[in-house]
Amino acid sequence: MADPRLRPSLSPVDPTASGDVEPVEEYDDFEEFELDDDAVGVAGTFFDDVLSNPSMPAVPAAIPEHIDSRANPEDDGIDLRSDQRMAIDVASDGIENKTFYEILLLPRSADEKAIKRAYYKLSKEYHPDKFYRKTLGPYKEKLEVIFNKVNEAYRVLSDIEGRGDYDMLVFGKDGKDAASPTEATATVNFVPDAVKKKNAATEAKKGMSARATAAGGKVRKGQKAKFLQDFQKQLASNIARGRKHMTMGEGAMDKGAFAEAATHFQMAMTMDPRNKRAKIMFKRAQATSRNTRAEEHYNVAQQALLSEDMKRAAESMQKAVDCKPTKGKYYNEFGKLISEHTLQQRVGLELLRKAVELEPRNVEYTMDLAKAYEELGMPSNAVRAYERVLHLDSKRSVAAKALKRLR
Amino acid sequence: MDKVIGIDLGTTNSCVAVFESKGPVVIPNRGGYQTTPSIVAFAENGKRLVGHIAKRQAVTNATNTIFGVKRLVGRRFQSPEVTKTLDIVPYSIEEAEDGACMVRAGGRSFTVQEISAFVLMEMKKIAEDYLGEEVVKAVVTVPAYFNDNQRAATKQAGQVAGLDVIRIINEPTAAALAYGMERSETRNLAVFDLGGGTFDVSALAIQEGVFEVVSTSGDTFLGGTDFDGRIIDYLAESFLAQHGINLREDKVALQRLREAAENAKCELSFKRTVEVTLPFIATKDGQPIHLQQSLSRARFEELVGDLVDRCIEISRNTLESAGLNPTDVNEVLLVGGQTRTPLVQAKVEDYFGRAVSKGINPDEVVALGAAFQGQALVDEGMEMLLLDVTPMSLGIATVGGGVSTLIPKNTTIPTQKSHSFTTVHDNQSAVKIVVLQGESGKAAENQLLGEFLLSGIRPAPKGVPDIEVTFAIDADGIVSVKARDADTGKEQSITVAMSGGLSDADLQRMIDERVDYMVQEKEQESVQELVYKVETLHQKVLDLLPSAEAVITGEQLHAIMDTLSEAKGAMNSRDETALRSSYSRLNEAHGSLAGADI
């Protein structure tokens, strides 16, 4: 096969997503549309998963391209793929305000081994050597900041004493996770909480500075004390930024810029990982964005077909299928295109079969598949398909004739 | 993909390796040796000699033979280490205008970077001969405990040598890379690296292709040379007591003594006792005196015991700051030729409570690791990441001679740290910042990296300006500084004059000189070839002459005789134009004689 992208059955499809029910309208099926975790990546469910499972990959291997709304980001001379850019953007955004646990994508309960594993994993992703002598543009500084922070987080959390001091500073004496920005936003007693924390931290700071002096004034202790001073500022900033992204995301939704909206909601989730609304909105925006984009690609393909630009038609069809791999229509049209205009009959057949698999009650798709079987000289398959057509619609005389002919 | 070579630029020996399909391999030099002496000499005819050829003539040309220059790299002439070196080397060391060291040989002065560059060029050439292609990219190793000045100077040496030094890595780390790549399980590794001139010890954690240096320490003035020095002193002292002559004052005798000491030391690794014999080492009242002295291993161990103890002490500190007990270490790797001494091995095994690993040749493992790192940088598909640390704390001098630490030692590099500065006077326009490296709380006891002036501060009451200065240590361990006015966001232009570093102009001059030298060498090569051709043809004509004499005219004979004597003159003068014209005339003569003969 010349072009590996023309391979059918591109991604596993959850059968519950469409089942035997035919989606009626194109754009409003996002509620049923179950996103697979791979596609959701960093944004979707990672925080909850990480909290419950420390061995989960710390950072998504790749963030799907769909999220990126910028047009042709590769044209700016920077040697980074769009998924890499996105990963760096997401990791560096608001990093100053994240706790060391959030930076290492770890739950508070993480043990020494998990901390080390997370550190190694993140280092493999963000160490400047992994981008050796590449043109990075603005990403250079972002990477430096990320790696610097990851190191700092690891240094403090991997030192038992340092981690204890840090936990006390950031989470207070009871060790309860008071640092969650969500809880702070959600509750009215934000101020008293903060005051309580501040007091606790001032005490802690006193103890620390005494110890720091005893230890010859080590810089690291000072850094941790400084963290407290910045803490109020960080909380507020985190929340404000998260909110700003929510507002911007909603604005983008209204304008119909779904991809952009998805990015904002994702940012909002990153700033405030337990913001359930951000998560829902992200899924919705992403699904809608996919639908829209798929339909756009499909339209382009149709136009290309009219102007007999088969290459472009095939490419656009492929994109439509990639954007919306749960829709039989795109597979069916793609399959017909391939069968009719190329010599790759088998590939076309696979696509047609996929369409029927996704929407088994669609008579047209089944009919197309049956014809393809017949043309390819696979009579028993063709017979079964025609039978299925008649079962779905007994008035299809074409199918009945074909059956007679084949038998 | 460009080939990247790994160069272990050692105090006494250097080694070069390259990554081939199955892994890194050491490249032997033209003599078939895996390592090349880091020795540069200048012969009487001005020719530059590097490696074994330089080592062989060291005794007869002691003052023009430079060795152990790594001990001077990035150091100030006034430093105690250099003062110590002055006494034991036969060549002369001078102070440069900026306080750095210069060495004198072949009738002129060279910077330390230039001498190192000559060694690097030799290693480059060895690699090119082997690979049959030009090599530009290199990873060069330095002792882990090298400070910023020493690293920067090493990088400059690479530049002078025409190499693109894509990374400077630490020797013990390189050794760990070469050693650990083949194993997959998680382990703690200690690298004990005692080379010719430096000692390093590093503790690493290795897991799934990640090499994390947890802690590193060392002494850049402790190595095999010091072991030799103890033997030299012992032999010289007993000779002084016996004959009243101090051999250390005679440069040629000292050079012979040095070679004898090194040989004795090596032999004592597998013999119980050695005889040191140096005939005609001195004269007294017109009579030659010979040195004859036996040295037992026990005596040798007595002489160097404190040096080994110092290494163990440093190892102890390193493990402590890594938060490890000796028993936590799964493996101990010995690197550097000096670890062949049985006493060193015994004390290391005693301290760690386990047998040491001797899998890879300690002289080659560092270069192999450097080649590995080079490949990992250019080959994205290689699953290997090195997390190295800065060996020393970086700080700035504070009022009253104190130090404020910005980046503590054992911080993973690359790293950066920002610090805000302000003014202490109204309308102050400049702030001076002194950058230091070291662990002492007193500024004077640390290494001075450089001073710089934050200038052009806009007029404001004291304490108002907020200048953010960012100190960065890159992956090579080299420090850089940049400043930004936090209020205006404007980048400040600052000049950082690091001591001992070469200015751009100096660097360019040296690079030009290298190119000139190479052109010159090429020309000399082609002249030599021409001489051979003329010589061959001259001989052929001479051979033909007796039989042809009868058939040619007297005039012809005269012309041929003239051509022959002219060719002789051209060969002596080595003048290219004369050689060329002689060659064509000889060719003519040869043609006519050969024709006549038939």
Side-chain angles (χ1 to χ4, degrees):
Chain A
M1 201 181 309
D3 185 357
R5 280 183 62 83
L6 293 183
R7 203 170 297 130
S9 184
L10 294 132
S11 55
V13 174
D14 185 350
T16 61
S18 51
D20 279 354
V21 189
E22 277 185 52
V24 196
E25 245 307 310
E26 335 273 40
Y27 301 114
D28 60 356
D29 58 347
F30 51 75
E31 290 297 355
E32 300 93 33
F33 185 69
E34 199 59 42
L35 287 168
D36 46 337
D37 279 348
D38 289 343
V40 181
V42 69
T45 55
F46 92 86
F47 198 81
D48 295 341
D49 286 348
V50 163
L51 281 179
S52 56
N53 175 17
S55 70
M56 189 208 153
V59 153
I63 289 172
E65 240 169 287
H66 329 44
I67 297 174
D68 202 318
S69 59
R70 281 160 300 183
N72 295 327
E74 275 82 7
D75 288 351
D76 53 13
I78 295 172
D79 300 337
L80 288 175
R81 296 187 310 270
S82 55
D83 59 319
Q84 291 176 314
R85 292 164 193 247
M86 195 68 196
I88 294 168
D89 282 336
V90 169
S92 68
D93 193 59
I95 196 164
E96 290 299 324
N97 304 325
K98 290 182 189 170
T99 67
F100 288 160
Y101 292 96
E102 285 168 342
I103 286 167
L104 294 182
L105 302 167
L106 284 172
R108 284 273 316 279
S109 58
D111 64 1
E112 227 175 294
K113 272 189 178 168
I115 290 171
K116 182 165 256 192
R117 207 180 310 127
Y119 172 59
Y120 283 4
K121 186 158 179 62
L122 290 170
S123 295
K124 277 186 183 172
E125 311 229 0
Y126 297 114
H127 192 286
D129 276 3
K130 290 288 164 192
F131 304 91
Y132 190 74
R133 286 198 179 175
K134 282 188 169 172
T135 311
L136 298 175
Y139 291 93
K140 183 173 184 290
E141 209 180 313
K142 287 184 185 181
L143 274 169
E144 283 169 2
V145 169
I146 297 170
F147 186 62
N148 224 19
K149 271 283 172 189
V150 165
N151 263 325
E152 195 187 347
Y154 172 62
R155 214 172 56 229
V156 170
L157 297 189
S158 61
D159 172 29
I160 296 170
E161 195 197 332
R163 185 178 176 184
D165 290 346
Y166 176 83
D167 285 353
M168 198 165 69
L169 272 176
V170 176
F171 305 106
K173 265 183 182 160
D174 53 354
K176 199 174 171 289
D177 190 353
S180 161
T182 315
E183 279 171 30
T185 7
T187 51
V188 202
N189 61 352
F190 169 55
V191 178
D193 246 7
V195 170
K196 203 172 76 192
K197 233 172 340 206
K198 197 175 174 185
N199 290 342
T202 317
E203 271 176 47
K205 197 180 149 194
K206 273 186 208 155
M208 289 232 329
S209 47
R211 231 178 307 157
T213 323
K218 278 193 183 162
V219 165
R220 215 178 61 196
K221 305 277 185 192
Q223 284 170 351
K224 274 181 280 175
K226 192 170 176 298
F227 189 92
L228 171 84
Q229 289 171 356
D230 297 339
F231 192 67
Q232 295 303 323
K233 226 162 64 186
Q234 287 170 19
L235 264 183
S237 161
N238 244 358
I239 295 155
R241 292 168 70 108
R243 278 187 183 151
K244 206 174 84 189
H245 279 299
M246 282 302 282
T247 318
M248 287 164 82
E250 276 155 8
M253 281 292 263
D254 289 345
K255 279 187 293 176
F258 301 110
E260 193 191 325
T263 310
H264 282 303
F265 292 132
Q266 193 185 21
M267 288 296 188
M269 283 163 61
T270 316
M271 299 311 306
D272 189 352
R274 288 176 209 177
N275 184 341
K276 291 277 186 293
R277 192 172 137 70
K279 199 159 118 186
I280 293 164
M281 289 306 284
F282 169 69
K283 285 189 181 181
R284 180 175 298 184
Q286 203 189 25
T288 316
S289 153
R290 286 187 184 187
N291 285 340
T292 319
R293 286 158 64 103
E295 194 60 20
E296 277 168 13
H297 288 306
Y298 175 72
N299 288 337
V300 170
Q302 292 298 336
Q303 282 189 352
L305 259 180
L306 284 176
S307 55
E308 298 200 342
D309 183 351
M310 290 309 154
K311 189 166 173 285
R312 191 169 149 76
E315 277 169 8
S316 298
M317 218 45 123
Q318 175 76 51
K319 282 181 192 160
V321 164
D322 285 351
C323 279
K324 197 80 177 89
T326 50
K327 210 163 170 62
K329 180 174 114 184
Y330 300 138
Y331 279 104
N332 173 264
E333 294 285 345
F334 195 13
K336 283 195 283 189
L337 177 84
I338 297 289
S339 303
E340 286 164 26
H341 299 284
T342 73
L343 294 173
Q344 303 192 4
Q345 306 289 341
R346 290 266 161 191
V347 178
L349 185 70
E350 278 303 319
L351 290 163
L352 292 171
R353 197 184 281 159
K354 185 84 196 171
V356 173
E357 192 183 296
L358 287 168
E359 295 175 31
R361 290 195 182 175
N362 189 308
V363 186
E364 301 304 326
Y365 300 168
T366 317
M367 191 69 197
D368 287 334
L369 180 64
K371 282 188 208 153
Y373 277 135
E374 195 182 345
E375 275 164 32
L376 278 173
M378 298 162 81
S380 52
N381 281 331
V383 165
R384 269 203 298 278
Y386 283 126
E387 276 170 0
R388 171 90 182 145
V389 170
L390 284 177
H391 171 76
L392 290 169
D393 179 4
S394 51
K395 294 177 195 128
R396 288 269 168 163
S397 53
V398 187
K401 274 184 202 160
L403 270 179
K404 223 178 255 175
R405 185 171 64 236
L406 283 166
R407 275 167 183 157
Chain B
M1 204 187 308
D2 290 348
K3 285 269 181 203
V4 184
I5 52 172
I7 302 177
D8 171 11
L9 180 61
T11 309
T12 45
N13 289 299
S14 293
C15 182
V16 59
V18 68
F19 195 92
E20 302 212 313
S21 53
K22 280 184 187 159
V25 291
V26 168
I27 304 176
N29 63 23
R30 270 157 290 182
Y33 298 98
Q34 307 286 85
T35 63
T36 302
S38 306
I39 300 179
V40 178
F42 295 86
E44 270 191 27
N45 61 8
K47 209 169 161 50
R48 194 164 74 211
L49 311 168
V50 184
H52 286 103
I53 183 169
K55 188 174 185 175
R56 274 196 288 273
Q57 52 86 69
V59 170
T60 53
N61 188 24
T63 53
N64 291 311
T65 304
I66 300 167
F67 59 88
V69 83
K70 190 173 173 183
R71 298 193 131 198
L72 307 175
V73 163
R75 288 193 196 276
R76 304 177 70 79
F77 182 77
Q78 301 289 356
S79 66
E81 290 91 347
V82 174
T83 315
K84 224 166 101 186
T85 309
L86 278 175
D87 295 340
I88 57 164
V89 297
Y91 56 89
S92 56
I93 306 172
E94 301 167 341
E95 183 169 9
E97 274 173 37
D98 62 357
C101 295
M102 303 274 279
V103 294
R104 203 160 172 84
R108 57 163 285 194
S109 300
F110 293 93
T111 61
V112 173
Q113 285 93 323
E114 279 175 291
I115 301 294
S116 297
F118 297 152
V119 178
L120 287 174
M121 278 159 73
E122 182 69 16
M123 304 319 287
K124 178 175 186 268
K125 195 159 190 300
I126 290 169
E128 285 173 346
D129 286 350
Y130 173 86
L131 294 168
E133 60 185 89
E134 205 199 352
V135 175
V136 177
K137 288 184 178 160
V139 171
V140 179
T141 64
V142 295
Y145 213 59
F146 253 22
N147 65 25
D148 172 73
N149 289 341
Q150 293 168 306
R151 286 167 197 269
T154 304
K155 207 165 181 181
Q156 284 175 335
Q159 252 177 298
V160 173
L163 284 171
D164 174 8
V165 179
I166 67 169
R167 179 58 49 86
I168 297 274
I169 66 165
N170 295 328
E171 285 156 11
T173 315
L177 291 182
Y179 193 76
M181 279 310 286
E182 289 149 28
R183 295 136 200 269
S184 56
E185 75 271 37
T186 308
R187 0 196 266 304
N188 293 320
L189 177 69
V191 184
F192 186 99
D193 179 358
L194 186 58
T198 56
F199 171 66
D200 283 322
V201 57
S202 293
L204 291 99
I206 305 173
Q207 184 179 318
E208 287 160 18
V210 177
F211 290 72
E212 181 201 2
V213 180
V214 186
S215 164
T216 194
S217 193
D219 185 336
T220 47
F221 226 78
L222 172 58
T225 314
D226 299 297
F227 285 63
D228 298 349
R230 294 291 167 86
I231 301 177
I232 294 171
D233 284 346
Y234 172 72
L235 295 175
E237 286 299 325
S238 49
F239 195 82
L240 184 64
Q242 233 178 306
H243 303 284
I245 297 169
N246 187 355
L247 292 175
R248 283 168 294 201
E249 284 165 4
D250 175 354
K251 295 204 161 175
V252 173
L254 179 62
Q255 184 57 36
R256 288 182 67 191
L257 209 50
R258 181 185 326 284
E259 285 185 6
E262 195 188 336
N263 285 337
K265 177 185 76 178
C266 293
E267 279 185 43
L268 281 173
S269 293
F270 49 89
K271 280 187 189 168
R272 288 265 153 214
T273 175
V274 290
E275 281 295 318
V276 181
T277 314
L278 289 167
F280 306 102
I281 189 88
T283 50
K284 194 176 176 183
D285 312 325
Q287 290 296 310
I289 315 179
H290 316 301
L291 183 148
Q292 180 106 31
Q293 177 89 39
S294 75
L295 179 62
S296 68
R297 189 189 283 179
R299 182 95 194 94
F300 168 64
E301 290 180 349
E302 225 171 84
L303 292 172
V304 300
D306 64 309
L307 296 175
V308 185
D309 289 343
R310 222 159 94 202
C311 297
I312 299 295
E313 190 51 39
I314 294 172
S315 306
R316 196 188 314 276
N317 293 338
T318 309
L319 283 202
E320 262 169 31
S321 60
L324 292 172
N325 290 317
T327 46
D328 295 333
V329 173
N330 306 113
E331 219 153 343
V332 182
L333 182 57
L334 291 185
V335 184
Q338 191 54 58
T339 58
R340 289 203 173 88
T341 294
L343 178 69
V344 174
Q345 295 186 2
K347 290 214 171 178
V348 170
E349 290 185 346
D350 178 53
Y351 172 62
F352 286 100
R354 62 172 55 247
V356 295
S357 306
K358 300 170 191 167
I360 309 179
N361 187 330
D363 297 325
E364 299 168 9
V365 63
V366 171
L368 292 170
F372 239 128
Q373 174 66 34
Q375 187 70 13
L377 286 177
V378 298
D379 180 358
E380 281 182 49
M382 212 149 118
E383 275 291 305
M384 194 271 268
L385 178 67
L386 175 57
L387 297 166
D388 215 332
V389 297
T390 177
M392 282 168 236
S393 300
L394 182 78
I396 47 174
T398 55
V399 185
V403 179
S404 167
T405 303
L406 296 172
I407 300 174
K409 70 168 180 178
N410 293 328
T411 298
T412 305
I413 52 173
T415 187
Q416 51 182 328
K417 179 82 195 162
S418 296
H419 193 86
S420 281
F421 288 89
T422 189
T423 52
V424 288
H425 302 295
D426 289 341
N427 297 328
Q428 190 180 338
S429 65
V431 176
K432 187 173 141 186
I433 296 167
V434 178
V435 188
L436 302 165
Q437 215 167 19
E439 309 313 318
S440 170
K442 289 182 189 154
E445 289 171 6
N446 286 300
Q447 298 267 4
L448 173 73
L449 290 194
E451 304 177 343
F452 66 88
L453 211 56
L454 268 182
S455 55
I457 301 172
R458 65 201 159 75
K462 67 179 173 190
V464 169
D466 183 6
I467 300 138
E468 191 187 80
V469 181
T470 303
F471 298 82
I473 304 181
D474 68 13
D476 292 331
I478 294 175
V479 178
S480 66
V481 185
K482 65 177 183 223
R484 196 174 62 92
D485 190 326
D487 296 333
T488 62
K490 203 180 92 187
E491 290 275 330
Q492 291 265 329
S493 64
I494 52 165
T495 30
V496 187
M498 295 297 184
S499 55
L502 298 174
S503 68
D504 286 350
D506 280 343
L507 207 55
Q508 194 52 50
R509 176 184 59 75
M510 289 172 194
I511 291 169
D512 290 347
E513 274 181 18
R514 167 177 59 82
V515 174
D516 287 351
Y517 185 86
M518 278 164 67
V519 169
Q520 209 182 316
E521 225 171 35
K522 242 218 153 91
E523 271 171 12
Q524 276 176 5
E525 253 169 49
S526 61
V527 167
Q528 187 60 44
E529 261 171 46
L530 209 54
V531 170
Y532 284 142
K533 278 161 81 178
V534 171
E535 203 176 348
T536 316
L537 204 52
H538 182 267
Q539 192 58 44
K540 277 187 185 166
V541 173
L542 267 185
D543 289 347
L544 282 174
L545 210 53
S547 52
E549 215 173 344
V551 287
I552 57 172
T553 63
E555 219 170 288
Q556 273 177 314
L557 184 65
H558 261 290
I560 288 170
M561 294 307 282
D562 276 351
T563 308
L564 285 175
S565 63
E566 207 183 275
K568 266 234 151 18
M571 282 189 278
N572 284 334
S573 74
R574 299 176 72 90
D575 179 74
E576 205 182 326
T577 344
L579 281 166
R580 285 194 194 286
S581 84
S582 282
Y583 183 75
S584 65
R585 291 187 60 185
L586 278 173
N587 230 347
E588 265 172 47
H590 184 254
S592 67
L593 285 179
D597 200 22
I598 291 161

